[in-house]
Each structure stands twice: as C-alpha cells, then as structure tokens.
Amino acid sequence: MRFGVLGTGSVGRAIGGKLVEVGHEVKMGSRSAGNENAVAWAAEAGDAASEGSFADAAAFGEVVVNATAGQRSLEALEAAGAENLAGKVLVDIGNAIDPNERPPALIIPGNDSLGEQIQRAFPEARVVKTLNTVNNSVMVDPRGLPGSHNVFVCGNDEEAKAEVAAMLESFGWAGEEIIDLGDISSARGTEQYVGLWVRLMGALGTAEFNIRITPND
Amino acid sequence: MRFGVLGTGSVGRAIGGKLVEVGHEVKMGSRSAGNENAVAWAAEAGDAASEGSFADAAAFGEVVVNATAGQRSLEALEAAGAENLAGKVLVDIGNAIDPNERPPALIIPGNDSLGEQIQRAFPEARVVKTLNTVNNSVMVDPRGLPGSHNVFVCGNDEEAKAEVAAMLESFGWAGEEIIDLGDISSARGTEQYVGLWVRLMGALGTAEFNIRITPND
C-alpha cells in the first residue's frame, strides 16, 4: 500500500521507516520538497521510500499519516490539501503542546482536541487518532517493552479504525492491546494523557515506557 | 491519628470509612454541620467517626483531606480556614472538571492544576496530590484489582509525601506502586490524565480499573 507521511521529525522518520520495513511504499512530506531530513531518510530507507512536499506526500498516499508537531498540524494539512485527503484514512499522531513550557503544556481546552480540530477542518478525511500516547520508539517496536501494554484508536469511521488497527498489528501491537476509545472526541483523552506522560518521563528518567490498563477484558 | 475529611460525596465517605477502619479518628466536614450524608456516614462508621462544618473538620484533623468536587474545592478550603490548614499535610484528591460536559471536561489550562491553585492559595499547607486518578473503590481497595498498578504523589514537601505514602500503604497500596511524580506542578499530569480516565470508563464500561506503568523499576 502507499502511505504519505507528513513530518520529518523523529516520529515521521520512525513511522515512515517502519511502514517501509513492513512492505509499503512511503513518501515523506515536508513544507518544501528536498527537506534535508526527508532526503536523508529516503536515501537510508531504500527504494520504497521517497520524499516531496506535504501535497506530494498526501497525493501519493492511499493512507496519510500526520506526524507533524501538533501546534503546526492544521497548517501542514492545509498545505497538503483537502483534495488530497478526501475519502482517505488520516492517521493523526500529533500532540498540540506548547514546547516552550517546561515541561511542555497542553494548549487545547479540555472540551476539544487536535484530532477533532483536524476532523472539523477536513470533514471528508477519515481521521483516526492513535500512537500519540507513546514515544516513537515504542510506536514502532511495542515488543521492546516487557509484557502487555496498550494503545488507543479514536475516530468516527469504524472501517478506518479497523484499517489503522491492522497497521498497528503490523508494527507488533497485539489486537487485544488496541483499545477503541470511541469517536474522534475521545482523542481528548489520549491528548490530555500526554500531560501525565511528560511527568512520568521526568520521574522515570526515560521515554521508553507505556501504560497497561488493568483489568482489560 | 486525627483526620479531617472535607466532602460528603462518595470519595469523602470512602476515604473517611477507610481511615476509621485502619484505626484513625475522622471528622467529616461539609458546608454546614449536620449534613445528611455526613450524619449517616458517622452513624455507620462508628465511635471514631464524627461530623461538622468544613472548619470543624479542618481544625480537628492533624491531616486534612480535600475530597470535595474540584470546581468547588477552593471555596470549601476557604471555609475550612487557612489557620486550620497551616503546617498540616493537605491531601488533595479533587479533580476540577465541568460535570455539565459529556463526558466531563477539564476546566483548568494545561499549565496549571487544582493542586497548584490550592498550594498557592494556602502557602502554609503542605499539599500532596494523590488518588485523583482512580475511582473511590480503587482508592481504598487497590487489591480489588488484579496484579500491580500505580498511584501517584505530587507535592513540594518530601516529608508530607512520605506521610501520604504511608497512608496509601495502610490502604493496601504497595510501596513500589506509589510513584513520586515530583513537585506540586506535577499534579497537572494526574489531573489531565482524568481526561483519558473518563474515556476509558466509557470504553471499558466500568470505573473499576487503573493503569500500570511498564516498565517501572
């Protein structure tokens, strides 16, 4: 399958690399084609990897992944173009935080979320929020942590959530570890959890952790 | 030891009952002495239980527990009186949410928390945020859930956090399950997590759950 990955940071490179590894073609998009990170990534990831503008990547993908920094995601998706997102699964991994606060602070009110903002701005996209609750290393290598732990999917389109769950399983997540939290408004829950995540990272001294819901059966 | 428990809802009654059960004297406080919930609770909890106003309870307690609804906690603590809180450990279990939103929504900006607001308003109290991440049944009966799971303490005073950890252990929490997240600003993390908690409650169909951090060693 063809994926467009928007964003050339650590999340975009980790997701893009994993998607190539499990057999997909991936075009990484950035503000302008020829981004240094994206060119280096594509050279390393091999023949199935390429790069271009946000619009190039979104047009290329049958599925589009938003891996841009949350506070700039709406702008990046505007550049990608509503026509290149319409009807497609749009996997949103963004977290809208103010990186100038120490530790980073949530910038969206409690009754809204980036996932919902994206769904409202691009009503024809099939937005699924996922993976924003873990570090990029855990996103693509969940078995690198001991035992069972959880990841969430949030979205209005059941079929889109099923497609994303299949992608997560291809990354190594077990089916029973994937919790469907409900419609896209439940993205609030996963985005607000990041407020705890940054504190846990500080207390534990590592970003290599996750949570397990107990019990979950 | 003597505890003042502010709040006559399910959290106050659960905490008050458990404190009596493990050998403490408890006075439950409410807006005015003679509150119906508090009178019924005291009658059932036995000789070590009593009730009165917020100020009565705070004056009585060597440790004071804020178990009021978060959006009214500052008002309740004003009524309790700064002089009755000065120098004491103040255990804050409140969550500041708008209960009229469905599901309830966080009402404090991402760079603040109720725990910090209370510490700022009562600088002589030794505020420790804890237990606000679980349902009242789990607060006082953590072993009712299978396996290991976590609870957090946040506060500026190390000795106060140690006292609260001892209280948690008397409730059944294991020492290694209690994670010190740092100073009172880390209360943001536990309060923001509640945004995920309400969604998990919806998805799981129960409030009887918690999270385990993996790995935590």
Side-chain angles (χ1 to χ4, degrees):
Chain A
M1 199 180 264
R2 294 192 312 275
F3 282 78
V5 174
L6 312 183
T8 65
S10 55
V11 173
R13 298 197 305 269
I15 296 287
K18 189 70 176 188
L19 287 167
V20 169
E21 186 188 317
V22 300
H24 302 292
E25 293 176 76
V26 177
K27 190 181 287 289
M28 178 174 285
S30 53
R31 208 171 305 180
S32 47
N35 171 286
E36 198 175 318
N37 275 351
V39 169
W41 170 83
E44 196 183 312
D47 287 350
S50 60
E51 63 83 31
S53 67
F54 285 135
D56 293 339
F60 176 83
E62 297 165 90
V63 172
V64 179
V65 178
N66 171 39
T68 64
Q71 74 275 31
R72 293 194 300 269
S73 290
L74 285 166
E75 186 189 319
L77 289 163
E78 281 298 336
E83 69 282 10
N84 292 323
L85 302 172
K88 295 181 184 174
V89 174
L90 174 53
V91 181
D92 172 32
I93 312 181
N95 278 309
I97 52 175
D98 180 349
N100 297 319
E101 295 261 0
R102 287 282 169 276
L106 307 182
I107 54 177
I108 294 181
N111 61 356
D112 199 8
S113 63
L114 177 63
E116 289 164 277
Q117 291 176 348
I118 291 173
Q119 185 64 84
R120 287 198 300 270
F122 302 94
E124 291 184 73
R126 300 152 71 203
V127 178
V128 178
K129 187 98 200 183
T130 193
L131 287 174
N132 61 308
T133 55
V134 291
N135 191 46
N136 62 75
S137 56
V138 178
M139 290 178 192
V140 299
D141 182 23
R143 302 279 67 86
L145 295 182
S148 177
H149 51 100
N150 295 107
V151 68
F152 309 100
V153 291
C154 314
N156 298 338
D157 185 312
E158 298 302 321
E159 197 184 301
K161 286 193 281 193
E163 285 180 41
V164 171
M167 182 193 81
L168 295 173
E169 291 190 49
S170 79
F171 287 4
W173 294 92
E176 64 271 19
E177 293 178 330
I178 304 168
I179 297 180
D180 184 343
L181 280 183
D183 67 26
I184 192 64
S185 75
S186 60
R188 294 174 202 176
T190 67
E191 295 180 22
Q192 290 165 5
Y193 162 75
V194 174
L196 179 59
W197 188 91
V198 297
R199 299 296 177 155
L200 283 167
M201 183 177 64
L204 302 174
T206 176
E208 308 273 330
F209 65 88
N210 194 13
I211 55 173
R212 174 189 183 164
I213 313 304
T214 177
N216 171 32
D217 41 33
Chain B
M1 197 180 265
R2 294 192 312 276
F3 282 78
V5 174
L6 312 182
T8 64
S10 53
V11 172
R13 298 198 305 270
I15 296 287
K18 188 71 177 187
L19 287 167
V20 169
E21 185 187 318
V22 300
H24 302 293
E25 292 176 76
V26 177
K27 191 181 287 289
M28 180 175 285
S30 52
R31 208 170 305 180
S32 46
N35 171 286
E36 196 175 319
N37 275 351
V39 170
W41 170 82
E44 195 183 312
D47 286 351
S50 60
E51 63 84 29
S53 68
F54 284 136
D56 293 338
F60 176 83
E62 297 164 273
V63 172
V64 179
V65 179
N66 171 40
T68 63
Q71 73 274 30
R72 294 193 300 271
S73 291
L74 287 166
E75 185 190 320
L77 290 163
E78 281 298 337
E83 70 282 10
N84 292 323
L85 302 172
K88 295 181 184 175
V89 174
L90 174 53
V91 181
D92 172 33
I93 313 182
N95 278 310
I97 50 174
D98 180 349
N100 298 318
E101 294 261 1
R102 286 284 170 275
L106 308 181
I107 55 178
I108 294 179
N111 61 356
D112 199 7
S113 64
L114 178 63
E116 288 165 276
Q117 291 176 350
I118 291 173
Q119 185 63 83
R120 287 198 301 270
F122 302 94
E124 293 185 73
R126 301 152 70 203
V127 178
V128 179
K129 187 98 200 182
T130 194
L131 287 175
N132 61 309
T133 55
V134 291
N135 191 46
N136 62 74
S137 56
V138 177
M139 291 179 190
V140 299
D141 182 22
R143 302 280 66 86
L145 295 182
S148 177
H149 50 100
N150 295 106
V151 68
F152 309 100
V153 291
C154 314
N156 298 339
D157 185 313
E158 298 302 321
E159 199 184 300
K161 285 193 281 194
E163 286 181 42
V164 171
M167 181 193 82
L168 295 173
E169 291 190 47
S170 79
F171 288 4
W173 294 91
E176 66 270 21
E177 293 178 329
I178 303 168
I179 296 179
D180 184 343
L181 279 184
D183 67 26
I184 193 62
S185 76
S186 60
R188 295 173 202 177
T190 67
E191 295 180 22
Q192 289 166 3
Y193 161 75
V194 174
L196 179 59
W197 188 92
V198 296
R199 299 295 177 156
L200 282 167
M201 182 178 64
L204 303 173
T206 176
E208 308 271 331
F209 66 88
N210 194 10
I211 56 173
R212 174 188 183 167
I213 313 305
T214 176
N216 171 32
D217 39 35

